[in-house]
DNA sequence: CGAAACACGC
DNA sequence: GACGTACGTGTTTCGA
């Protein structure tokens, strides 16, 4: 059967413009709307497989609708220049794809679509319309369905007759009558004042259409409604007419001209190159099965580690194909220096004393990508690596943490075109990963070594230009070695303890499961929100407070509001909590215990967060439960690795707010910290203007939430959610806070100003975060960038401080000849294991070093706790 | 295999 | 007038 796909060009481009960040290509032309439009087009062509296709555009400013109603679509904001300059490009896109386009003076795109759809229907076509707004829904019929993009590119809602009935309870043709009565503010269609969607729907269900309603005014209930209908009869008729999509537009060509065959590969490639659509080009190549070939480089496959390989500096690659370098095999080693590029099998390298000596020689300079991975991977092979001077991963991350893919291939591509293939393209991914033949492997990892050597001076220059040499050399590089040691050393886990807890949790789960099924009256999978939703909100008829895009929301904050509605709720909440503990923390941790040592070796990612914080993965040891006692018990399973040793934890008190006090120079905040006051109580006193003894729990809770918001850059909405208050109240809290601490306000404004002027904000130690969206026309994007501008210097500087403390603590341990070991970092907290005889020394040393690592205008404070397990270090 | 929903920490 | 709202990691379910 023939299938015609019709796309509303302006409205899709408009949606995409606001949905996507303001991208521009290398000539400075904005391309986000074109990009989004192209994505939609590609998707439509692939998924719909149309035999016929056309895109309609609005032409000119005025249409026949303005003849009947001058104010049609008035009051709309002018199309931003950034968008209108993209519209001509859409035509190039369509031409390259060989898609017919239509536009006609005096008519809107909607009318062209209506006309083509009608004609196609007459010829027995199946028709599908794509648009960014709902006006076109009136075209829905047996043969025609209408899809509109909600937000983003992938979120598309399709309406056929059935779906339309379900959504509106009307016939598609009645949509115009609906608009006739209720109007449409976006098109400035007046409708009947005072009549909204509810009333209009009710009347239409009873009387069919606008005429039907008007001729039975007497039967309409409600005096006001009656009066309004009487008074605005003509306006209702006119509004209805305005909403009607024409199906008789005098097009010069009809459906036969929209026949679609396929697109021309060369033309599309050229177009994408001009527009700078790298990712789309890649997709094209993949689909066309075009393999990315690079010219072979000269690589020497070595059996022995020769003298010429020891030249300094050298790039070193230790190829670990699995993401987890603690367990990954090593597929090969590259050394690249002035004498050439050399690749060795691991076994051959390990058999070479000269290699081990070279690796351990501090004076032999090594350039690597991911110093921690390289050092740790060699460490597991019994090779002690020293002399690592430059880590391209960390350099790239410091230069711009947002540069999404910090993999060598991507960095090399950015700096000097593609010279390294992506691991995925060489090895395959997931279950399909495979070790290639020696020659292919040698080429691949040889290229990595060469790229590294070339990259190093370029990245170094960029670091210099950013004033980040000190940050790089004195903070992040030393830190990466420390993190590597922490990871390799690992944390001891009491497996028996975990297993016991697992059994207890299982019993609780079985019991709760039974009770929940009983209360629900049927058995179902409690872990499935999709099954749980209907049970709660249909079967048990609990009030629906929030929906997700796929169904009912059953998240904890919603369930908490339903606590008293049904006794199943508390049990559900408990079930969720216990099930999380069991799966993530008991089973999850047991799964990653190293079989021979009984230890857990996490990986700290030093190059991922946008603020400069670390993250931890496989397992994540930065989110072990603490808030609720039941979960906190998990910490009993984290124990010292040697008999009689202890766990010692030291955490900074309010480090972010102290950093804020220092950077903003706010006198009240500085004073509060100098006098060591409880900061939330102090904030409550200042904001509510009360004496210390008048601060209620509620006041302190509110103040704490506001401080939390300051630290994490949450919005008025976020604050309102966490306090369970309205958005307005939340906003007025924030306003009062800023009025109370004017220097903080000034500081925040200054950060936003910085971001606007330089494009980025910085931390105490020159860490950087770019915020291009600070100038976005999209309110959300701009607001988010503004909050980020305020928050990143605070959170990022706090991250700087604790990172420096880690470097200092490690040095102090060496200087003092202590055996205590740093195990973990949890953002504002350091965790050690210590021999008992070092307890007194560590109790003094750790806070002293942490507090003294940097001098601010407020004192830093670190509190120490210790015990036999992590649980007891409280 | 990837997306969505949910939950844990800071 | 609506937008969709700290980050990062991990588990489970579910549909392609």
């Amino acid at each position: 059967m023939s299938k015609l796909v019709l796309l509303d060009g302006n409205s899709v481009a408009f949606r995409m413009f606001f949905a996507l960040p303001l991208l521009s290509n290398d000539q400075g032309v904005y391309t986000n709307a074109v990009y989004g439009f192209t994505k939609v087009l590609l998707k439509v062509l692939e998924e719909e497989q149309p035999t016929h296709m056309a895109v309609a555009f609005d032409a000119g400013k005025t249409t026949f609708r303005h003849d009947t109603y001058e104010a049609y679509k008035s009051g709309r904001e002018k199309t931003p220049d950034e968008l209108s300059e993209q519209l001509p490009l859409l035509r190039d896109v369509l031409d390259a794809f060989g898609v017919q386009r239509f536009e006609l003076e005096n008519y809107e795109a909607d009318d062209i679509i209506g006309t083509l759809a009608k004609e196609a229907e007459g010829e027995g076509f199946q028709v599908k319309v794509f648009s960014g707004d709902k006006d076109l829904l009136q075209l829905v019929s047996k043969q025609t369905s209408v899809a509109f993009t909600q937000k983003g590119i992938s979120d598309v809602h399709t309406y056929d007759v059935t779906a339309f009935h379900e959504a509106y309870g009307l016939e598609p043709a009645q949509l115009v009558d609906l608009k006739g009565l209720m109007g449409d503010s976006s098109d400035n269609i007046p409708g009947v004042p005072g009549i909204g969607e509810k009333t209009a729907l009710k009347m239409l269900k009873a009387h069919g259409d606008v005429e039907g309603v008007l001729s039975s005014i007497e039967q309409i209930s409600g005096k006001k409604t009656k009066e309004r209908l009487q008074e605005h009869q003509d306006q209702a008729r006119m509004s209805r007419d305005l909403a009607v999509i024409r199906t008789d537009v005098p097009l010069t060509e009809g459906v036969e001209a929209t026949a679609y065959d396929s697109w021309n590969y060369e033309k599309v490639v050229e177009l994408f190159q001009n527009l700078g659509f790298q990712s789309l080009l890649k997709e094209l190549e993949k689909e066309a099965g075009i393999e990315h070939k690079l010219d072979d480089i000269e690589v020497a496959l070595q059996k022995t580690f020769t003298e010429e390989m020891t030249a300094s500096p050298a790039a070193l690659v230790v190829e670990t194909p699995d993401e987890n370098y603690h367990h990954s095999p090593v597929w090969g080693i590259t050394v690249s220096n002035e004498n050439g590029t050399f690749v060795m099998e691991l076994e051959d390298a390990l058999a070479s004393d000269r290699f081990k000596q070279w690796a351990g020689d501090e004076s032999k300079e090594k350039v690597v990508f991911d110093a921690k991975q390289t050092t740790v991977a060699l460490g597991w092979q019994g090779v002690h690596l020293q002399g690592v001077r430059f880590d391209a991963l960390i350099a790239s991350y410091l230069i711009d943490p947002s540069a999404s893919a910090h993999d060598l291939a991507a960095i090399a591509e950015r700096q000097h075109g593609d010279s390294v293939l992506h691991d995925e393209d060489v090895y395959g991914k997931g279950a399909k990963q495979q070790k290639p033949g020696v020659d292919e492997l040698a080429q691949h990892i040889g290229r990595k070594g060469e790229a590294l050597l070339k990259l190093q001076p370029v990245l170094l220059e960029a670091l210099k230009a950013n004033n980040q040499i000190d940050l790089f050399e004195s903070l992040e590089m030393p830190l990466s070695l420390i993190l590597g040691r922490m990871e390799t050393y690992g944390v001891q886990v009491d497996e028996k303890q975990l297993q016991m807890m697992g059994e207890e949790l299982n019993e609780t789960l079985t019991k709760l499961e039974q009770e929940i099924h009983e209360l629900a009256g049927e058995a179902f999978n409690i872990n499935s929100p999709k099954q749980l939703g209907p049970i709660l909100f249909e079967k048990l008829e609990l009030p629906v407070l929030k929906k997700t895009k796929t169904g009912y929301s059953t998240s904890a904050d919603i369930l908490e509001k339903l606590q008293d509605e049904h006794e199943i709720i508390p049990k559900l909440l408990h079930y969720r909590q216990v099930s999380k503990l069991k799966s993530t923390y008991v089973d999850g941790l047991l799964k990653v215990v190293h079989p021979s040592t009984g230890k857990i070796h996490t990986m700290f990612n030093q190059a991922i967060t946008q603020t400069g914080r670390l993250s931890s993965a496989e397992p994540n040891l930065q989110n072990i439960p603490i808030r609720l006692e039941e979960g906190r018990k998990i910490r009993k399973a984290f124990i010292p690795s040697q008999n009689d040793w202890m766990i010692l934890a030291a955490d900074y008190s309010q480090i972010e707010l102290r950093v804020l006090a220092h950077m903003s120079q706010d006198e009240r905040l500085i004073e509060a910290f100098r006098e060591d006051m409880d900061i939330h109580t102090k904030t409550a006193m200042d904001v509510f203007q009360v004496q210390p003894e008048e601060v209620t729990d509620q006041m302190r809770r509110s103040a704490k939430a506001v401080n939390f918001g300051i630290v994490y850059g949450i919005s008025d909405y976020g604050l309102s959610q966490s306090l369970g208050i309205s958005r307005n109240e939340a906003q007025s809290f924030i306003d009062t806070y800023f009025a109370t601490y004017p220097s903080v306000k000034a500081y925040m404004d200054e950060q936003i100003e910085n971001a606007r002027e330089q494009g980025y904000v910085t931390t105490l130690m020159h860490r950087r975060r770019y915020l291009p969206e600070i100038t976005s026309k999209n309110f959300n994007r701009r607001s988010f960038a503004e909050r980020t501008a305020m928050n990143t210097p605070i959170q990022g500087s706090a991250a700087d401080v604790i990172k420096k403390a880690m470097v200092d603590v490690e040095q102090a341990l060496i200087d003092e000849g202590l055996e205590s070991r740093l195990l973990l970092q949890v953002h504002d907290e350091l965790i050690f294991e210590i021999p008992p005889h070092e307890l007194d020394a560590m109790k003094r040393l750790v806070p002293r070093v942490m507090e003294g690592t940097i001098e601010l205008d407020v004192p830093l404070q670190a509190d120490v706790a210790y015990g036999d397990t992590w649980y007891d270090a409280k």
Side-chain angles (χ1 to χ4, degrees), chain A residues 29 99 113 129 240 421 428 481 529 588-589 593 615 630 732 832 844:
Chain A
V29 178
V99 171
I113 289 174
V129 176
R240 179 190 182 279
L421 298 173
L481 299 186
L589 287 174
V593 174
S615 76
E630 210 172 346
S732 88
F832 302 82
R844 283 193 298 271

Side-chain angles (χ1 to χ4, degrees), chain A residues 347-474:
Chain A
E347 292 69 33
D348 297 328
L350 292 183
S352 159
D353 284 339
R354 187 188 254 147
F355 169 70
K356 287 185 183 165
Q357 203 183 8
W358 170 81
D361 189 340
E362 177 68 40
S363 72
K364 299 288 184 188
E365 295 183 16
K366 286 107 185 165
V367 176
V368 302
F369 180 84
D370 196 344
K372 185 158 60 68
Q373 172 268 351
T374 312
T375 311
V376 171
L378 281 182
W380 285 112
Q381 303 297 334
V383 177
H384 185 51
L385 179 66
Q386 293 195 100
V388 175
R389 299 295 163 79
F390 193 91
D391 182 340
L393 169 62
I394 291 177
S396 161
Y397 170 69
L398 293 181
I399 291 162
D400 183 358
S402 73
S404 51
H406 288 289
D407 63 281
L408 182 53
I411 296 170
E413 199 172 324
R414 276 203 294 281
Q415 299 294 346
H416 43 245
D418 47 5
S419 53
V420 180
L421 298 173
H422 291 269
D423 287 342
E424 218 177 278
D425 296 335
V426 182
Y427 305 149
K429 68 169 172 179
K432 287 183 218 137
Q433 191 187 61
Q434 234 187 344
K435 185 173 177 177
V438 263
D439 290 323
E440 193 183 350
L441 184 80
Q443 282 291 320
H444 179 53
I445 69 175
R447 283 201 187 93
K448 289 190 180 184
E450 293 196 350
L452 268 175
L453 272 194
K454 277 199 278 178
L455 227 38
Q456 193 256 357
V458 181
L459 293 172
L460 192 64
E461 275 312 306
L463 286 171
K464 270 187 200 153
N466 280 8
N467 196 9
Q468 290 178 316
I469 293 293
D470 201 46
L471 174 66
F472 178 75
E473 286 179 352
S474 311

Side-chain angles (χ1 to χ4, degrees), chain A residues 580-642:
Chain A
K580 172 84 176 174
L581 289 177
K582 177 73 167 53
S583 63
T584 305
Y585 296 107
V586 174
D587 298 346
L589 287 174
L590 283 172
K591 235 181 279 172
V592 292
V593 174
H594 198 281
S596 48
T597 62
K599 283 186 170 187
I600 284 181
H601 304 273
T602 184
M603 290 186 293
F604 287 105
N605 198 329
Q606 200 182 348
I608 198 150
T609 69
Q610 299 303 301
T611 53
R613 276 186 172 187
L614 300 174
S615 76
S616 154
E618 284 188 69
N620 183 348
L621 292 183
Q622 291 183 320
N623 71 344
I624 303 301
I626 189 165
R627 248 180 57 249
L628 301 169
E629 177 58 24
E630 210 172 346
R632 189 175 201 157
K633 292 207 162 66
I634 295 285
R635 295 180 173 226
K636 288 183 194 254
F638 288 83
I639 56 174
S641 65
Q642 306 188 47

Side-chain angles (χ1 to χ4, degrees), chain A residues 226-380:
Chain A
K226 226 181 260 182
E227 273 173 30
R228 286 180 178 132
L229 281 170
Q230 284 286 10
E231 206 172 311
H232 296 99
Q233 296 199 19
D234 289 342
Q235 192 167 304
R237 291 196 180 93
M238 179 198 73
S239 296
R240 179 190 182 279
D241 289 346
L242 283 173
V244 173
I245 288 176
R246 294 275 289 267
T247 55
D248 57 353
V249 173
L251 298 171
T252 48
E253 289 176 300
V255 170
E256 77 288 345
T258 67
Y260 180 76
D261 184 16
S262 64
W263 39 277
N264 178 300
Y265 185 81
E266 277 76 32
K267 272 194 193 165
V268 172
V269 166
E270 197 191 326
L271 172 83
F272 285 179
Q273 275 167 350
N274 287 339
L275 291 170
F277 291 170
Q278 298 303 332
S279 62
L280 290 180
L281 275 173
K282 283 240 170 75
E283 276 176 41
L284 280 191
E285 282 173 3
K286 236 187 193 165
E287 268 174 44
I290 293 176
E291 261 194 68
H292 221 65
K293 275 255 163 82
L294 295 174
D295 292 336
D296 277 358
I297 57 164
E298 218 172 285
V299 184
L301 258 172
Q302 298 286 117
K303 265 299 188 194
T304 54
F305 195 85
T306 55
E307 178 68 33
E308 57 181 349
M309 293 170 73
T310 63
S312 175
L316 170 66
V317 177
V318 176
E319 187 69 359
T320 50
D322 295 357
E323 297 218 354
N324 191 320
Y325 46 74
H326 291 302
H327 305 110
S328 177
V330 175
W331 277 357
I333 287 172
T334 304
V335 174
S336 185
N337 59 30
E338 59 186 20
N339 296 321
T341 298
F342 311 89
V343 168
M344 289 184 86
E345 299 259 14
L346 174 73
E347 292 69 33
D348 297 328
L350 292 183
S352 159
D353 284 339
R354 187 188 254 147
F355 169 70
K356 287 185 183 165
Q357 203 183 8
W358 170 81
D361 189 340
E362 177 68 40
S363 72
K364 299 288 184 188
E365 295 183 16
K366 286 107 185 165
V367 176
V368 302
F369 180 84
D370 196 344
K372 185 158 60 68
Q373 172 268 351
T374 312
T375 311
V376 171
L378 281 182
W380 285 112

Side-chain angles (χ1 to χ4, degrees), chain A residues 801-864:
Chain A
V801 171
I802 190 155
K803 281 176 164 178
K804 177 150 189 302
M806 293 171 76
V807 175
D808 291 349
V809 163
E810 282 285 293
Q811 190 56 49
L813 292 182
I814 295 168
D815 292 347
E816 305 280 320
L818 295 171
E819 292 179 78
S820 294
R821 300 290 304 243
L822 179 55
L823 302 177
L824 298 171
Q825 186 251 48
V826 191
H827 307 310
D828 64 352
E829 179 180 22
L830 298 178
I831 294 116
F832 302 82
E833 67 174 28
I834 64 171
H837 64 270
E838 291 182 3
L839 177 60
D840 283 339
M842 287 293 282
K843 266 162 66 180
R844 283 193 298 271
L845 176 141
V846 174
R848 191 187 75 224
V849 174
M850 286 172 75
E851 289 167 4
T853 198
I854 185 173
E855 193 171 335
L856 303 181
D857 293 328
V858 292
L860 287 176
Q861 192 193 315
D863 301 313
V864 175

